[in-house]
């Protein structure tokens, strides 16, 4: 594989951007190579600056459920651009997208559009605190909820990849109210509620964890969270930035049949543009400014171009409800190939992660038993055989509707060969 052009671009990039990247998960440092620079992408394929071609299973970390440059989305964006890139004022598209979100998520009665998952989560937590008048929040080890201060404690994704338990630059006074529980461990949650019965504003959880690698919720875990938050008057927040429109058209909450009080969405809902959302029960959302006292704003929030991409994506999902069954079938094939290769796999729908450990992977602690050097070798082998997977153990592999059966079969063959290394 020739990478001379990417290598040259990387030399320029490291001089002008920290690590040469605008988000740490892109850096490839943990797999001991310099990142590839992408020239363009189409369908299930990525093309780098040296002309290498890959079947892409990162899919921009989730948004591209229809693959790259899906024509109906591109066309909607092109049309929107011609009408103006931003208004800083109300437009009908915002309502159409909000109504679509509400129609897919029965637990969402009102919604607000923002620009990133980080912002959605930060705002949802603020709403929960404003609504309850309480300060403490519970999050789970290994779950990632964006990079806002209060949530950068025991996070997943790039933090785990770079072995950062807590970020520098965050005063203790900001994280003193962040309580940490263990994923799939009900007692770790009830212990915290017993210790602080009147001061927990919310429990925030990835209903299927995907930022420590994929770790599905065990039977009873989500219903337990639903019950205990109700009992103590705390708000249950499902961070569905990855799982929303991924596990089903109604996200993880429809998939598992458990409702949240507040939900955060991102990635797919923006169709590849910077758009995210948070919403939920009307009485909680009524706390948001200008109706209520919880302030939250955004110059580019509800941006007409991003909104057009979001509407086109949700419309495509509505027109092709069968994609979820197809994604399931294709992803199951990949899972089978990984098992044949002798690897351990966690999979939920079109989210999957290969682990290199004998232990069942059910939480942060068992995730960490996976052999990261083996993962790095696996990643390299896939890359050199034209398969672009996440460069980190602590991420998911994403399957899109653009991955053809032939491409899935070709990928399975490479995975099975990787097992013979
Ligand atoms: C990606 C992600 C975020 C952060 O979203 P950004 O758009 O990267 O800010 C938050 N929560 C979860 C579960 C995510 O996967």
């Amino acid at each position: 594989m020739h990478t001379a052009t990417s290598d040259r671009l990387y030399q320029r990039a490291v001089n002008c951007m920290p690590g040469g990247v605008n988000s740490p998960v892109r850096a490839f440092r943990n797999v001991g190579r310099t990142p590839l620079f992408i020239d363009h992408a189409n369908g299930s394929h990525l093309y780098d600056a040296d002309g290498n071609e890959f079947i892409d299973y990162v899919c921009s970390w989730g948004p591209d459920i229809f693959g790259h440059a899906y024509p109906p989305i591109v066309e909607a964006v092109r049309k929107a651009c011609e009408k103006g890139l931003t208004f800083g004022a109300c437009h009908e598209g915002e309502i159409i997208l909000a109504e679509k979100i509400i129609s897919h998520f029965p637990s969402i009665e009102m919604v607000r559009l923002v620009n990133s998952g980080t912002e959605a989560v930060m705002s949802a937590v603020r709403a929960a605190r404003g609504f309850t008048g309480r300060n403490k929040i519970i999050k789970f080890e290994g779950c990632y909820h964006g990079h806002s201060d209060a949530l950068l404690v025991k996070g997943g994704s790039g933090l785990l990849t770079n072995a950062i338990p807590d970020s520098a630059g965050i005063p203790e006074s900001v994280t003193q109210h962040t309580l940490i529980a263990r994923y799939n461990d009900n007692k770790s949650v009830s212990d915290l509620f017993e210790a602080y019965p009147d001061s927990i504003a919310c429990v925030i959880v990835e209903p299927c964890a995907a930022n420590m690698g994929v770790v599905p919720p065990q039977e009873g875990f989500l219903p337990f969270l639903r019950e205990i938050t109700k009992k103590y008057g705390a708000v249950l927040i499902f961070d569905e930035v990855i799982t929303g429109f991924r596990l089903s058209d109604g996200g993880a909450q429809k998939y598992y049949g458990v409702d949240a009080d507040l939900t955060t969405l991102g990635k797919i809902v923006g169709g590849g543009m910077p758009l995210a959302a948070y919403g939920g029960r009307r009485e909680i959302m009524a706390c948001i400014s200008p109706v209520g006292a919880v302030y939250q704003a955004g110059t580019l929030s509800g941006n007409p171009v991003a909104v057009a991409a979001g509407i086109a994506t949700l419309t495509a999902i509505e027109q092709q409800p069968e994609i979820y069954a197809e994604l399931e079938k294709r992803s199951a094939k990949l899972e089978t190939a990984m098992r044949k290769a002798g690897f351990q796999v966690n999979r939920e729908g079109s989210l999957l992660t290969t682990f290199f450990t004998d232990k069942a992977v059910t939480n942060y602690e068992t995730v960490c038993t996976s052999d990261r050097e083996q993962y790095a070798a696996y990643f390299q082998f896939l890359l050199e055989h034209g398969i672009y997977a996440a460069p980190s153990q602590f991420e998911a592999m994403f399957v899109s509707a653009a991955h053809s059966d032939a491409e899935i079969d070709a990928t399975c063959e490479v995975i099975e060969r990787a097992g013979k290394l």
Side-chain angles (χ1 to χ4, degrees), residues 116-118 121 144-146 206 211 239 241-242 267:
S116 70
T118 295
V121 170
Y144 178 70
H145 302 293
E206 292 181 67
N211 283 293
D239 182 353
V241 170
I242 281 186
K267 299 189 171 124

Side-chain angles (χ1 to χ4, degrees), residues 8-19:
R8 219 167 27 245
L9 290 171
Y10 180 68
Q11 290 317 317
R12 273 171 64 198
V14 283
N15 268 323
C16 55
M17 293 177 278

Side-chain angles (χ1 to χ4, degrees), residues 55 57 334 387 397 406-416:
I55 305 177
Y57 290 97
L334 292 173
I387 312 288
M397 191 167 180
E407 284 162 349
I408 295 284
D409 290 344
T411 307
C412 288
E413 198 183 308
V414 175
I415 290 170
E416 285 177 40

Side-chain angles (χ1 to χ4, degrees), residues 205-217:
V205 66
E206 292 181 67
C208 172
N211 283 293
M212 51 176 150
V214 174
V215 179

Side-chain angles (χ1 to χ4, degrees), residues 151-166:
L151 292 158
L152 274 188
V153 187
K154 295 263 178 353
S157 190
L159 290 139
L160 262 175
T161 305
N162 295 295
I164 303 170
D166 311 305

Side-chain angles (χ1 to χ4, degrees), residues 177-197:
H177 297 302
T178 305
L179 308 170
I180 305 297
R182 283 170 52 178
Y183 202 78
N184 280 328
D185 181 344
N186 297 3
K187 184 163 184 304
S188 72
V189 180
S190 56
D191 283 352
L192 290 172
F193 271 105
E194 276 160 29
Y196 307 100

Side-chain angles (χ1 to χ4, degrees), residues 131-405:
F131 176 71
T132 57
R134 302 171 176 181
N135 284 335
K136 295 202 183 300
I137 65 176
I138 295 180
K139 82 170 280 289
F140 293 89
E141 255 181 338
C143 283
Y144 178 70
H145 302 293
H147 66 91
S148 72
D149 286 356
L151 292 158
L152 274 188
V153 187
K154 295 263 178 353
S157 190
L159 290 139
L160 262 175
T161 305
N162 295 295
I164 303 170
D166 311 305
S167 170
I170 300 175
E172 245 170 63
S173 56
V174 176
T175 55
Q176 65 174 334
H177 297 302
T178 305
L179 308 170
I180 305 297
R182 283 170 52 178
Y183 202 78
N184 280 328
D185 181 344
N186 297 3
K187 184 163 184 304
S188 72
V189 180
S190 56
D191 283 352
L192 290 172
F193 271 105
E194 276 160 29
Y196 307 100
D198 303 317
S199 32
I200 295 171
C202 65
V203 173
I204 181 161
V205 66
E206 292 181 67
C208 172
N211 283 293
M212 51 176 150
V214 174
V215 179
Q218 288 175 337
E219 186 79 39
F221 178 57
L222 298 176
F224 170 78
L225 296 181
R226 177 62 288 177
E227 206 172 287
I228 195 163
T229 45
K230 239 182 209 150
K231 178 175 164 199
Y232 285 93
V235 172
L236 179 59
I237 305 177
F238 278 177
D239 182 353
E240 296 229 39
V241 170
I242 281 186
T243 54
F245 302 106
R246 166 65 60 182
L247 290 185
S248 80
D249 64 344
Q253 44 201 275
K254 178 173 172 184
Y255 190 85
Y256 298 119
V258 181
D259 277 352
D261 298 309
L262 288 179
T263 298
T264 56
L265 298 168
K267 299 189 171 124
I268 291 174
V269 77
M273 297 292 277
L275 185 147
Y278 69 100
R281 276 163 55 196
R282 193 174 289 274
E283 58 178 331
I284 305 176
M285 294 306 285
C287 296
I288 309 295
S289 184
V291 182
V294 175
Y295 197 71
Q296 185 267 310
T299 302
L300 292 176
S301 291
N303 173 271
V305 182
V307 161
I311 294 171
T313 304
L314 300 198
T315 303
I317 286 172
E318 288 157 6
Q319 290 169 344
Q320 304 167 57
E322 71 282 0
I323 62 161
Y324 293 102
E326 278 166 23
L327 288 174
E328 168 66 31
K329 217 168 57 198
R330 290 173 200 168
S331 309
K333 266 189 174 177
L334 292 173
E335 178 186 352
T336 303
M338 289 168 184
R339 292 198 191 283
K340 269 195 206 159
F343 306 143
Q344 193 188 148
V345 191
N346 276 1
R347 181 176 75 84
E348 198 77 287
S350 55
L351 298 168
L352 59 169
T353 302
T354 319
F355 291 102
F356 299 88
T357 173
D358 300 331
K359 292 220 163 72
V361 175
T362 58
N363 58 21
Y364 170 82
E365 198 184 321
T366 41
V367 160
C368 291
T369 64
S370 186
D371 185 331
R372 291 163 66 178
E373 276 177 26
Q374 260 180 287
Y375 185 89
Y378 172 67
F379 164 81
Q380 294 276 19
F381 185 85
L382 295 188
L383 195 69
E384 273 153 28
H385 293 82
I387 312 288
Y388 189 91
S392 164
Q393 171 72 84
F394 308 112
E395 304 286 355
M397 191 167 180
F398 296 90
V399 183
S400 84
H403 288 88
S404 69
D405 285 332

